[in-house]
């Protein structure tokens, strides 16, 4: 699976919450607890801007839902880099290793990546395929786990996630019948502070031929 | 192990057919996740909400004529199922099981059941071709599947006319849908790609999620044709004539949206549309007042007034 290149988010879902900044208090669809709803009610974009927190909606748990273009490259043999033009953010997916000690929380957190292993029992090398005739399937999805997040927003209208949030993502590439290349990222946000259950979203991106539409813009609180 | 047994084992291995199985197992019972577009998918879409749909003018014209009374007054509409492509978006509890050839143990088909309208579907995995284009069309259509790595790719043709959104946005019987089923642990993601030469200007791509929930007891579904609302005449079909639907701006007004965004189209689905979208159709309310907080099947119409 090759994810490198330029990609654009196609907003066919949640349009009213993604393409425009939703109205205050519009938290429909999200499994929020009372504390999260109260936080969203207190959203004040002017206050965020004054405090230098206008990137709160551009953190890892929210940024893949924003209308944006992505540029994915290999930074080195073990690091996949995902740049986002909306908010001019960069995510780094580290293959192998562990989170360095004293990693401070940040908007994009610290991401550990691996090529997803197949379900247990499916791909067992050196078994004799007489009585179980599966040849198995290769694990193919890119699995990314992100922690060490700075508290941010799931939606631009102040729906919060906390520093305790953990983001699990699965990236799946495919080619459509008309030849277009796409990937879908299934995102699972677990946040004991603000979510009653894991938040499960899937976002779709279409490959672009070049960088002609790439336009980095700064974070905006509104 | 004796040499004789070793050779028997080698022989058996050589005789074992090489199957391109990719045995990700979708069988089981799945519960739907409504963390995207929940107000549209459970209570139902607002009139005039065509957001995120790459529709053409013909689809918009048909949707503008929609009157929701049609479901109450016209009995033929009352039990109209969701087709297989829209059913996966409207979502619902889902059971999947495998049908095996008892003689060979080969996978012949996946069969699915969703309680909504008692929708049963067969996804043929035995390589059979799709029927001729003039063959019977059904709500679930004709589906075949192949494996691509860890993803099941399903192609569906022969679906009846149905909805892209059940506020009257139509889909035609010329459409083809392609689904990509991928399982990650206890989560199932299904991407649905629909090409419709009659009503879409580009493929409609949507993705939806389930989680494994083996404890479900899926119910049967009963739908009875009953005259719910007396129509003006026995054969009346409630509708709005072109330009005469008074409700088409409500959705944009309630949520502070530009009207051309609410009316959909491919150009409204890409980031650069934000640069050219106009102002809200009317002065937006200072806070959300309708369907702002959802739980279960319910959405609070106005959180400050309580449930309706």
């Amino acid at each position: 699976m090759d994810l490198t290149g330029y990609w654009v988010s196609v907003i066919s879902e949640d349009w009213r919450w993604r393409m425009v900044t939703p109205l205050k208090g519009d938290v429909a669809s999200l499994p929020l607890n009372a504390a999260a709803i109260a936080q969203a009610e207190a959203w004040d974009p002017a206050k965020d801007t004054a405090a230098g927190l206008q990137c709160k909606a551009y953190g890892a748990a929210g940024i893949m839902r924003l209308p944006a273009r992505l540029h994915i490259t290999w930074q080195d043999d073990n690091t996949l880099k995902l740049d986002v033009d909306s908010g001019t953010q960069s995510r780094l997916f580290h293959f192998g290793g562990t989170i360095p000690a004293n990693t401070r929380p940040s908007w994009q957190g610290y991401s550990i990546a691996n090529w997803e292993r197949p379900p247990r029992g499916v791909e067992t090398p050196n078994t004799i395929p007489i009585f179980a005739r599966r040849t198995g399937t290769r694990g193919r999805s890119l699995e990314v786990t992100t922690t060490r997040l700075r508290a941010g927003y799931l939606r631009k209208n102040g729906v919060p996630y906390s520093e305790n949030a953990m983001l699990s993502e699965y990236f799946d590439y495919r080619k459509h019948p008309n030849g277009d290349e796409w990937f879908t990222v299934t995102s699972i946000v677990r946040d004991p502070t603000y979510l009653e259950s894991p938040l499960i979203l899937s976002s779709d991106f279409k490959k672009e031929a070049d960088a002609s539409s790439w336009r980095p813009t700064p974070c905006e609180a509104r | 192990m004796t040499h004789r047994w070793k050779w028997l084992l080698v022989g058996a291995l050589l005789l074992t057919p090489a199957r391109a199985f990719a045995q990700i197992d979708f069988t089981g019972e799945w519960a739907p996740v409504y963390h995207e577009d929940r107000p549209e998918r459970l209570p139902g879409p607002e009139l005039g909400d065509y957001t995120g749909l790459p529709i053409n003018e013909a689809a918009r014209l048909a949707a503008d004529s929609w009157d929701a009374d049609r479901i109450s007054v016209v009995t033929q509409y009352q039990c109209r199922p969701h087709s297989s492509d829209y059913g996966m978006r409207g979502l619902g509890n889902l059971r999947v099981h495998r049908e095996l050839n008892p003689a060979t143990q080969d996978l012949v088909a996946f069969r699915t059941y969703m309680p909504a309208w008692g929708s049963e579907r067969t996804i043929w995995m035995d390589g059979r071709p799709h029927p001729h284009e003039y063959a019977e069309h059904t709500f679930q259509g004709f589906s075949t599947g192949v494996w691509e790595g860890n993803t099941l790719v399903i192609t569906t043709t022969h679906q009846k006319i149905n909805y892209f959104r059940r506020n009257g946005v139509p889909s035609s019987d010329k459409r083809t849908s392609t689904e990509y089923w991928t399982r990650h642990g206890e989560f199932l993601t299904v991407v649905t790609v629909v090409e419709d030469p009659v009503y879409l200007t580009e493929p409609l791509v949507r993705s939806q999620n389930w989680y494994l929930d083996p404890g479900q007891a899926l119910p049967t579904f009963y739908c009875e044709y009953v005259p719910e609302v007396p129509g003006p005449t026995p054969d009346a079909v409630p509708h709005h004539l072109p330009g005469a639907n008074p409700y088409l701006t409500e959705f944009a007004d309630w949520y502070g949206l530009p009207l051309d965004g609410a009316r959909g189209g491919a150009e409204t689905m890409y980031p650069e549309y934000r640069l050219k979208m106009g102002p809200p159709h009317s002065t937006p309310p200072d806070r959300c007042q309708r369907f702002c907080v959802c739980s279960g099947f319910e959405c609070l119409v106005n959180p400050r007034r309580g449930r309706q």
Side-chain angles (χ1 to χ4, degrees):
Chain A
M1 176 168 64
D2 182 10
L3 291 173
T4 59
Y6 288 91
W7 303 85
V8 61
S9 59
V10 181
I11 314 296
S12 59
E13 302 166 330
D14 271 357
W15 195 98
R16 134 186 169 203
W17 299 277
R18 296 169 70 188
M19 194 57 90
V20 300
T21 299
L23 297 173
K24 180 186 274 195
D26 190 351
V27 300
S29 306
L30 304 176
L32 305 178
N33 63 19
I37 293 171
Q39 283 277 321
E41 288 288 341
W43 172 59
D44 183 343
K47 202 170 166 183
D48 283 344
T49 302
L53 297 174
Q54 57 268 46
C55 286
K56 289 187 84 170
Y58 298 79
I63 197 165
M64 302 300 278
R65 298 296 283 173
L66 296 178
R69 283 184 166 78
L70 313 179
H71 183 210
I72 302 179
T73 55
W74 284 100
Q75 178 170 282
D76 56 47
D77 286 350
N78 295 311
T79 312
L80 194 64
K81 186 180 184 192
L82 186 151
D83 291 314
V84 187
D85 67 353
S86 180
T88 317
Q89 300 291 309
S90 293
R91 303 183 62 193
L92 297 177
F93 300 159
H94 304 275
F95 286 77
T98 55
I99 303 175
N102 303 320
T103 299
R104 295 170 61 84
S106 61
W107 297 130
Q108 304 310 328
Y110 192 91
S111 299
I112 292 180
N114 61 271
W115 300 107
E116 186 187 19
R117 292 174 181 276
R120 190 166 39 189
V122 168
E123 187 175 51
T124 307
N126 305 319
T127 54
I128 299 171
I130 291 181
F131 302 113
R133 295 179 297 179
R134 60 194 171 203
T135 58
T137 181
R138 304 282 175 226
R140 219 179 45 140
S141 306
L142 171 63
E143 181 178 23
V144 179
T145 303
T146 302
T147 54
R148 300 289 201 277
L149 287 162
R150 193 174 174 186
Y153 293 151
L154 295 167
R155 281 187 184 158
K156 285 200 79 173
N157 62 345
V159 178
Y161 64 87
S162 77
E163 287 193 357
N164 298 319
M166 182 177 83
L167 170 65
S168 304
E169 294 170 292
Y170 300 94
F171 292 74
D172 286 292
Y173 165 90
R174 63 185 181 275
K175 186 175 274 193
H176 286 185
N178 66 358
D180 288 346
E181 294 178 80
W182 288 67
F183 78 78
T184 293
V185 55
T186 302
S187 307
I188 301 154
V189 183
R190 295 176 172 88
D191 184 355
T193 305
Y194 288 125
L195 295 179
E196 288 188 334
S197 68
L199 169 65
I200 305 164
L201 303 167
S202 46
S203 309
D204 306 301
F205 295 83
K206 182 164 72 171
K207 194 163 194 176
E208 301 209 301
D210 53 39
S212 57
S213 299
W214 177 259
R215 289 186 188 82
T217 54
C219 297
E220 293 177 354
R222 179 173 284 281
Chain B
M1 183 184 288
T2 66
H3 284 294
R4 185 180 171 194
W5 278 106
K6 280 182 183 170
W7 285 113
L8 280 174
L9 186 57
V10 170
L13 279 168
L14 291 172
L15 290 171
T16 301
R19 286 176 164 78
F21 274 25
Q23 293 280 19
I24 295 292
D25 190 3
F26 297 108
T27 59
E29 297 191 328
W30 300 86
V33 177
Y34 294 103
H35 295 167
E36 298 167 347
D37 287 326
R38 185 188 196 110
E40 170 203 330
R41 293 155 78 183
L42 280 176
E46 304 280 13
L47 295 174
D49 172 10
Y50 313 148
T51 55
L53 299 175
I55 52 175
N56 61 17
E57 202 52 43
R60 211 171 274 119
L61 183 65
D64 286 353
S65 75
W66 174 259
D67 186 324
D69 263 357
R70 199 174 296 182
I71 295 176
S72 299
V73 172
V74 183
T75 51
Q76 290 93 328
Y77 273 90
Q78 286 185 353
C79 297
R80 187 191 197 198
H82 289 177
S83 56
S84 58
D85 55 353
Y86 188 60
M88 298 301 275
R89 181 63 187 169
L91 213 58
N93 304 76
L94 170 71
R95 177 191 298 134
V96 183
H97 68 270
R98 291 189 292 183
E99 182 174 313
L100 303 176
N101 180 327
T104 64
Q105 294 300 305
D106 283 340
L107 176 63
V108 176
F110 283 110
R111 293 191 186 272
T112 70
Y113 171 72
M114 299 179 88
W117 293 277
S119 301
E120 294 179 344
R121 189 176 171 204
T122 302
I123 299 154
W124 297 106
M125 298 295 295
D126 56 0
R128 71 182 63 193
H130 282 242
H132 189 276
E133 64 174 309
Y134 297 148
E136 181 188 25
H137 285 50
T138 62
F139 285 106
Q140 300 309 316
F142 187 92
S143 298
T144 55
V146 295
W147 294 103
E148 287 183 7
N150 58 352
T151 297
L152 176 63
V153 182
I154 302 167
T155 302
T156 301
T157 56
H158 296 78
Q159 293 178 87
K160 282 188 173 185
I161 291 169
N162 207 245
Y163 313 104
F164 285 122
R165 189 167 285 158
R166 64 181 197 269
N167 56 1
V169 181
S171 60
S172 84
D173 57 1
K174 305 292 185 195
R175 70 194 187 281
T176 298
S177 60
T178 308
E179 291 162 68
Y180 299 83
W181 291 36
T182 309
R183 178 176 177 174
H184 298 293
E186 301 204 330
F187 299 105
L188 168 64
T189 297
V190 175
V191 179
T192 308
V193 180
V194 188
E195 297 182 69
D196 186 338
V198 179
Y199 290 123
L200 298 180
T201 61
E202 65 178 59
L204 171 60
V205 180
R206 298 191 280 206
S207 51
Q208 34 276 328
N209 302 292
W210 284 260
Y211 64 91
L212 194 61
D213 184 6
Q216 297 178 73
L218 299 185
T220 52
F221 186 85
Y222 298 101
C223 187
E224 195 174 344
Y225 298 92
V226 177
E228 294 178 343
V229 179
T233 61
D235 55 354
V237 177
H239 65 279
H240 297 281
L241 290 173
N245 188 338
Y247 306 112
L248 295 177
T249 62
E250 287 180 340
F251 172 67
D253 294 338
W254 285 328
Y255 298 107
L257 306 176
L259 188 58
D260 60 347
R263 294 184 61 72
E267 120 177 299
T268 67
M269 298 161 56
Y270 291 87
E272 52 270 28
Y273 177 70
R274 287 168 56 84
L275 302 175
K276 52 184 142 175
M277 80 164 72
H281 179 252
S282 62
T283 303
D286 63 352
R287 67 180 316 285
C288 183
Q289 296 182 338
R290 184 180 168 85
F291 295 146
C292 314
V293 182
C294 296
S295 175
F297 264 92
E298 289 185 287
C299 283
L300 299 182
V301 173
N302 183 333
R304 290 186 173 169
R305 292 184 194 150
R307 296 178 187 276
Q308 282 190 7

